Structure formats: structure tokens, C-alpha cells
């Protein structure tokens, strides 16, 4: 099994180097301090709360230093981190707590009332206010600690349980193993420029795999430097990217659009930024061009909670030439594109993307039925329709569940959305299928216009779609909104549009 205690090694090599800083407070932790806190926390959690290897610790907090200290302790002791979404309602948190059955819950004061309004917390053996944890860490980070021995665990042992967003049905807890942690970091460093000199600003929430595993955990593995932000603020991020001389930055398209629209974007200079890393959903081509004009190339990518998440990457040199592509698979990622019967499709034909490799989840927490449904002979079914061109560049057609059938023809909303977003009046667009008496289903587009949008834009946009799409793909209706509903990670909430 790959060595999992990264902090101890970097504390030996670079004990005084800052590993992580909080943007809002300026507090920092060096690799040496992280190593000491790992020992202190393992001992404290075991003695005071009875935490053992394999026990779950549920966490309800925004990005902060203590989260990173707990990660270091997790690698040493082998307990399991369960980051909870602090935007959920009490009943939703109850479901996650019941499913994860943690030994301990650690919660920030601001989220305590919501958590305690539910029924399950009272049944959890132990509760720890985050402020108490912070005080403990502040007191112990510079104190010599008795070494806590590394607890050997299997490579498929959970490091995290990461719950899916649950936009349909109940959330599933994806097991994120120590093996996944290691191989995701290797895949990332072989695709991107990640080394001891790397620097980033992390604005992604800690309950999302993007907040942990796109850059934060690979950076910890490589002895790099991360600035954590509790809340996204476009102007502040632009400022931090310059002040901290960030070499990489990851964001979803919504975040990058807000930054590009911020007043400080025009004057901002990013001489140290190699490129942006984009995931979550396809980035509109005009936005790629807007950042490229600032001298910042875009590395479009693809990932998911259950696999990787760093699976595909489009080299920045291809950002314009291969617009819309997620790139090629990362080094240790195997791919198949299959039809509904699980048979490989012909080159250039859309099909479901299946993935295999050491970065695939062992399964869903206490949900063998979901695991069996998602995996065939080690191949994980992504639920995404993709196609690959002759150069082995992959393109996401759409989520299978988003597809609708109009007059017997499959329509993938992402294809229609890309056309709409290319129109100069359109800021954002989302398309869903709705019942239609004649065709069975037809498209309904939800559009957010730029301030320059004109009256009568619906017919203009329909005509534009007719010029660029087959007739059956042209939306029947166009609904204009001030903004599109988004989920907690900035993706369009299609369930809200259908509701």
C-alpha cells in the first residue's frame, strides 16, 4: 500500500514551510505544525472521545485550518472524515448522520442550531464544538508531542465518505479510499504542474470532492501551499491570486464568470498563473476566450465524486483548438464508451463513459445495491454520454438522465445549451425536456440575458438555434429568468427548473 502519512514526511523535509493559510484570518500552519497537531489530535480523539481506526467523524464547517489538521490525523490514525454540507436543512443532515453513524460530530457555532434542530444528533455518542477544537489546535501546534504510531489500514479503507448532492432521491455516500487519494494525486501531478513550489487559492467547499481532491490533497501530497477561503468573493479571489502568486486555480464556470464580470478583472494581472482548471460542467466558449485574452489559458477537465476526481484534462494549448472538449484521459485512467447493452460503440459514436483504474471508489457506504448497479467488472458507469474524436479527445454530450426524446430522436440539452450560450445576448442557458402532445417531449430553454438583451429576443434565439441545430433540437419554449437556480457547487439545478 502507498505510504499514507504525507504530513510526517514533509515535516521532516520542510518543517517551517507554510502548508495552508486562511484568507480571512491570516492564520497559518506549517508542515511541522501539522505533524505535531496530527499526533496531538490522534491522542486526544482516542482518549477523550473513544475514536478508533474506522470510526467516522462528521464535520460541519467552512474551510479552515482545523479541517486540514484533521485530514493529517486521519491519515495517521485511520478514522474516516465525513464532511457535511452546511447548506442542508435539519432533516437532510439527519439523514446523513443516520447513514454515516459517526462516533463524533464536530460543528461550527453558526451551524449548531440547524444541526440540533434534528433528531439524530442526540443519538451520536460525542459532540465537539468547532471553537473548542480550534482552541485545542492553537494550544498544541507548537508543543512537542508524543508520537502517535501510524495505524496500518487497507488501501480500500475509507479516508472520506463524500455524499452526493442528492438532487434525485436520497444522497449516496461515496467511499473515498486511501488508494484513491494517492492515485488521484499521481494522476494530477502527471497532468498538471504540481510540485513543492505550487501555490493555489481554494474557494471550493469542503463537503465537495472538488474542495478536497482537485488540488488540496494533491498539494498536501507534494508539499505545496494552499490558501483556504471560507466564502467565495470574486473581487477578493482576484486580489488573492495576484498577492499569493498563485500558479494554479480551480473553479466551476459560474465562479469564473463572476470573476470575469467583477470590476477588478480588467486591471488584474496573473503572471504566475499557469492556467485555470475548470470542472463541474462545460465552460462556455466565450468565457474561455475572455480568460485567454487575459493571458490565462484554460484547462478544461472532467471528474466525479466516485472516481478520481481528476480524470481528464485538456491541455491549455488545445483550449481554443479543441473548444468544448474535456481532453484526454489522465495517465492511470482506463476508458470505454459503451451502448445501452454495455458493448463498445464505433469511434465517434456517443455512448456512456465507463472508467476503470486505481482511482475508482470501492463503492457506496452501506449501499451494496447501488455499488453493484454502478460497477461492472471494475468498470464504473459514469452516467455521462460522451464521444471521442480521431485524436482521442473526449467530448461530453450530456448526462444520460438529462436526455429527452422528441419525435423519436434523442436530444441532449448540453448540445442546445452550447448553441444558445454562443449567442452574444445570452449570459446563461439551461434546457430541459417537457411533455408535448405531438412529439412526446419538446425542449424548454431557460435563458439569462446580458444587460444588452433586446425585446423580442425569444424569436431571435429560436431563429439562431434553427440556423445551428436540427429542427427537432430547437427549443419549443424560451423562458427568460434573472438568474438560473444553482446547487451548492454552482451547477444548474435542473430539478428546480422541472419543478
Amino acid at each position: 500500500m502507498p505510504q499514507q502519512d504525507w504530513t510526517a514526511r514533509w515535516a521532516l523535509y520542510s518543517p517551517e514551510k507554510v502548508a495552508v493559510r486562511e484568507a480571512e484570518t491570516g492564520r497559518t500552519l506549517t508542515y511541522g505544525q501539522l505533524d505535531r497537531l496530527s499526533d496531538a489530535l490522534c491522542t486526544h480523539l482516542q482518549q477523550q472521545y473513544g475514536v478508533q481506526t474506522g470510526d467516522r467523524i462528521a464535520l460541519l464547517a467552512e474551510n479552515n485550518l482545523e479541517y486540514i489538521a484533521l485530514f493529517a490525523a486521519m491519515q495517521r490514525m485511520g478514522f474516516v472524515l465525513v464532511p457535511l454540507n452546511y447548506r442542508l436543512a435539519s432533516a437532510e443532515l439527519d439523514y446523513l448522520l443516520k447513514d454515516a453513524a459517526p462516533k463524533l460530530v464536530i460543528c461550527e457555532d453558526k451551524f449548531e442550531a440547524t444541526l440540533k434542530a434534528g433528531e439524530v444528533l442526540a443519538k451520536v455518542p460525542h459532540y465537539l464544538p468547532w471553537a473548542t477544537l480550534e482552541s485545542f489546535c492553537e494550544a498544541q501546534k507548537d508543543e512537542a508531542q508524543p508520537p502517535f504510531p501510524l495505524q496500518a489500514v487497507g488501501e480500500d479503507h475509507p479516508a472520506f465518505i463524500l455524499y452526493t448532492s442528492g438532487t434525485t432521491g436520497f444522497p449516496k455516500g461515496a467511499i473515498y479510499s486511501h488508494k484513491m487519494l494517492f492515485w488521484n494525486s499521481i494522476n494530477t501531478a502527471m497532468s498538471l504542474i504540481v510540485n513543492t513550489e505550487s501555490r493555489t487559492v481554494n474557494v471550493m467547499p469542503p463537503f465537495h470532492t472538488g474542495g478536497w481532491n482537485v488540488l488540496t490533497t494533491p498539494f498536501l501530497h507534494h508539499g505545496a501551499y494552499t490558501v483556504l477561503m471560507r466564502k467565495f468573493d470574486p473581487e477578493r479571489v482576484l486580489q488573492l491570486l495576484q498577492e499569493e502568486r498563485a500558479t494554479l486555480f480551480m473553479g466551476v464556470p459560474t465562479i469564473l464568470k463572476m470573476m470575469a464580470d467583477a470590476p477588478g478583472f480588467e486591471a488584474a494581472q496573473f503572471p504566475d498563473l499557469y492556467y485555470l482548471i475548470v470542472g463541474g460542467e462545460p465552460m462556455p466558449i466565450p468565457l474561455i476566450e475572455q480568460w485567454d485574452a487575459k493571458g490565462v489559458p484554460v484547462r478544461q477537465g472532467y471528474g466525479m465524486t466516485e472516481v478520481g476526481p481528476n480524470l481528464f484534462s485538456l491541455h491549455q494549448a488545445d483550449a481554443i483548438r479543441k473548444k468544448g472538449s474535456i481532453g484526454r484521459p489522465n495517465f492511470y485512467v482506463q476508458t470505454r464508451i459503451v451502448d445501452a447493452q454495455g458493448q463498445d460503440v464505433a469511434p465517434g459514436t456517443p455512448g456512456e463513459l465507463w472508467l476503470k483504474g486505481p482511482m475508482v471508489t470501492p463503492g457506496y457506504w452501506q449501499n451494496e445495491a447501488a455499488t453493484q448497479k454502478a460497477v461492472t467488472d471494475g468498470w464504473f458507469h459514469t452516467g455521462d454520454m460522451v464521444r471521442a474524436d480521431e485524436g482521442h479527445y473526449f467530448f461530453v454530450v450530456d448526462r444520460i438522465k438529462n436526455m429527452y426524446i422528441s419525435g423519436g430522436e434523442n436530444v441532449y440539452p448540453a448540445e442546445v445549451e452550447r448553441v444558445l450560450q454562443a449567442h452574444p445576448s445570452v449570459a446563461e442557458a439551461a434546457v430541459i425536456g417537457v411533455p408535448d402532445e405531438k412529439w412526446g417531449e419538446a425542449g424548454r430553454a431557460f435563458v439569462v440575458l446580458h444587460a444588452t438583451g433586446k425585446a423580442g429576443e425569444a424569436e431571435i434565439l429560436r431563429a439562431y438555434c434553427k440556423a445551428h441545430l436540427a429542427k427537432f433540437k430547437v427549443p419549443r419554449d424560451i423562458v427568460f429568468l434573472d438568474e438560473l437556480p444553482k446547487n451548492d457547487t454552482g451547477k444548474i439545478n435542473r430539478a428546480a427548473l422541472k419543478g
Side-chain angles (χ1 to χ4, degrees), residues 240-289:
L240 284 169
L241 290 177
Q242 296 170 91
E243 291 176 355
E244 299 287 355
R245 302 181 0 259
T247 59
L248 300 175
F249 178 73
M250 182 268 174
V252 297
T254 301
I255 283 174
L256 297 168
K257 181 177 180 353
M258 292 173 70
M259 291 168 63
D261 290 343
F265 183 73
E266 185 176 350
Q269 299 292 322
F270 309 103
D272 300 288
L273 196 57
Y274 292 126
Y275 32 71
L276 301 174
I277 301 145
V278 182
E281 58 188 343
M283 185 160 169
I285 292 169
L287 187 58
I288 293 176
E289 293 172 334

Side-chain angles (χ1 to χ4, degrees), residues 32 110 112 141 144 150 280 292 313 365 395 418 476 479 483:
K110 66 173 73 175
E112 188 175 72
K141 66 182 182 181
L150 177 67
D292 193 68
S313 187
W365 177 253
F395 295 78
R418 280 193 287 271
R476 183 192 69 190
V479 179
E483 61 180 1

Side-chain angles (χ1 to χ4, degrees), residues 3-11 19-20 29-43 45 57 59 64-81 137 148-151 159-160 178 181 212 216-217 220-221:
Q3 171 65 34
Q4 81 247 34
D5 193 352
W6 302 339
T7 303
R9 195 57 65 94
W10 284 112
V20 62
L29 284 175
T30 66
Y31 280 99
Q33 289 172 326
L34 268 179
D35 184 49
R36 290 189 286 274
L37 281 181
S38 179
D39 282 327
L41 280 168
C42 288
T43 301
L45 292 170
I57 299 179
L59 309 165
N64 57 48
L65 299 186
E66 287 69 40
Y67 241 130
I68 305 300
L70 285 165
F71 171 83
M74 173 273 291
Q75 286 198 307
R76 192 159 299 177
M77 187 176 177
F79 57 77
V80 184
L81 295 176
C137 290
F148 191 93
L150 177 67
Q151 304 299 295
F160 296 95
H178 288 268
L181 200 62
W212 279 107
T216 300
T217 56
L220 290 170
H221 188 198

